[in-house]
Amino acid sequence: MKQLLIIEDDRHLSRGLCLALKDPKLQIVTCFDLKSAQEQLACGMTDLVLLDINLPDGNGLDLLRQIKTGGKAVPVIILTANDTEADVVMGLEDGADDYITKPFSLAILRARVKAQLRRLVTSELKPIIIDRYQFDFAQMDFYHGTTAVELSKTEQKLLRLLIENRGQTLSRTVLMDRIWADGSDFVDENALSVTVKRLRDKLDATAFIKTVYGLGYVWVVKPDESV
C-alpha cells in the first residue's frame, strides 16, 4: 500500500481531497502545516506528497527543497493558488514533479496522482545497485558481488524499507508496523532484532545496516569502510 501525504491548511479542502482520492490501495495522511508535515515525512513512509505552497508557518517551497535533497526520492505535486508563469517555473525548478493551480478539476487531479503512483511502481521494478550489492525486488534476486543471497519474505520487506529510506533512521515501531502489516494479533518485538541480524549476516552488511540505539535502524549512505 502506498502512502499519500496531503499538506493543505484549508481543512475543508483537505477533507474534499481525501474523499476524491480515496482508494483501497492508498493510505492518505493529512497535515495542515509545515511542522507536522516534517514530522510525518521523518517517519520515512511517505510515497507521494500533495503540497500547498502557502502554509500558516512557512512556504511550502522550502519543504519541497528539503524533500528533494533528502535520502528518499519522494515525488511532489504542488497544489496551489499561485498561478503565474513565474510561480509555476519556480516550483518545477525547485524539483516539483507536477504543478496544479487552484481552482482545479478533481478528475484531472486524480489522473495526475495516479500517473505519479504508476511511475513509482515502474521505478520499483528496476534493479537497485548499491556499492557491491544488486537488489531486484521484482524478480526476488539479491546479490552480494557475484554471490546470490536467498532472503525470506520478511527479510525482503525489511531490506526494501531500509533501501527505500537509506540515510534515514526508521524507528522500530514503524518497521514492525510495515513488515508485519498482515493483521497479526501479536508479534514479539524480538522478531525485528532477529530479522535485522539475519539480514546483516546474509548480506555481510554490517557496514551498511546500522543500529541507532534507542531509535531504530538505518541503511547508511556512506558506510564506514573500516568496519
Side-chain angles (χ1 to χ4, degrees):
M1 178 179 287
K2 297 298 181 187
Q3 184 187 93
L4 168 64
L5 174 60
I6 298 175
I7 308 170
E8 168 60 64
D9 65 318
D10 184 328
R11 292 173 184 260
H12 178 73
L13 176 57
S14 180
R15 285 194 296 272
L17 292 171
C18 289
L19 289 172
L21 298 170
K22 186 176 180 180
D23 187 299
K25 296 181 180 178
L26 189 64
Q27 178 190 27
I28 300 177
V29 178
T30 59
C31 290
F32 308 110
D33 53 41
L34 285 178
K35 184 176 184 296
S36 60
Q38 288 167 333
E39 292 172 351
Q40 179 62 37
L41 286 162
C43 295
M45 299 295 104
T46 302
D47 297 296
L48 175 62
V49 175
L50 200 56
L51 174 65
D52 187 16
I53 290 178
N54 303 306
L55 295 167
D57 56 346
N59 190 319
L61 291 179
D62 293 332
L63 181 60
L64 171 63
R65 297 183 195 105
Q66 292 174 24
I67 293 171
K68 291 303 179 179
T69 55
K72 181 180 179 181
V74 179
V76 178
I77 300 174
I78 289 179
L79 187 63
T80 178
N82 297 4
D83 59 358
T84 69
E85 182 177 314
D87 290 326
V88 177
V89 169
M90 181 179 295
L92 294 174
E93 288 185 344
D94 281 342
D97 297 87
D98 203 346
Y99 196 107
I100 302 174
T101 58
K102 302 174 183 177
F104 55 88
S105 159
L106 286 175
I108 290 176
L109 174 63
R110 281 194 294 267
R112 293 191 175 184
V113 166
K114 287 180 179 178
Q116 291 298 330
L117 292 173
R118 281 196 302 271
R119 289 186 187 123
L120 277 176
V121 172
T122 301
S123 66
E124 288 171 356
L125 295 177
K126 298 177 181 177
I128 298 170
I129 299 174
I130 301 174
D131 197 74
R132 58 188 180 272
Y133 298 102
Q134 179 169 313
F135 305 132
D136 187 338
F137 291 96
Q139 300 299 321
M140 292 188 290
D141 290 331
F142 307 96
Y143 284 87
H144 176 202
T146 58
T147 303
V149 180
E150 186 174 339
L151 300 179
S152 70
K153 290 291 181 65
T154 302
E155 291 159 356
Q156 290 177 39
K157 288 181 181 179
L158 172 60
L159 176 62
R160 187 163 188 165
L161 285 167
L162 293 172
I163 290 298
E164 288 181 346
N165 297 278
R166 52 191 177 275
Q168 184 171 321
T169 300
L170 299 180
S171 71
R172 292 181 62 88
T173 300
V174 165
L175 286 170
M176 291 185 70
D177 286 346
R178 289 297 290 268
I179 294 171
W180 289 279
D182 56 359
S184 299
D185 292 334
F186 175 76
V187 176
D188 188 339
E189 190 172 341
N190 188 52
L192 178 59
S193 301
V194 171
T195 304
V196 170
K197 184 180 187 307
R198 286 178 177 168
L199 184 63
R200 271 198 193 116
D201 292 345
K202 286 184 177 183
L203 294 175
D204 188 20
T206 303
F208 286 88
I209 301 174
K210 293 293 188 180
T211 301
V212 182
Y213 292 98
L215 294 176
Y217 301 94
V218 59
W219 182 287
V220 297
V221 176
K222 294 181 180 179
D224 182 356
E225 298 299 338
S226 65
V227 175

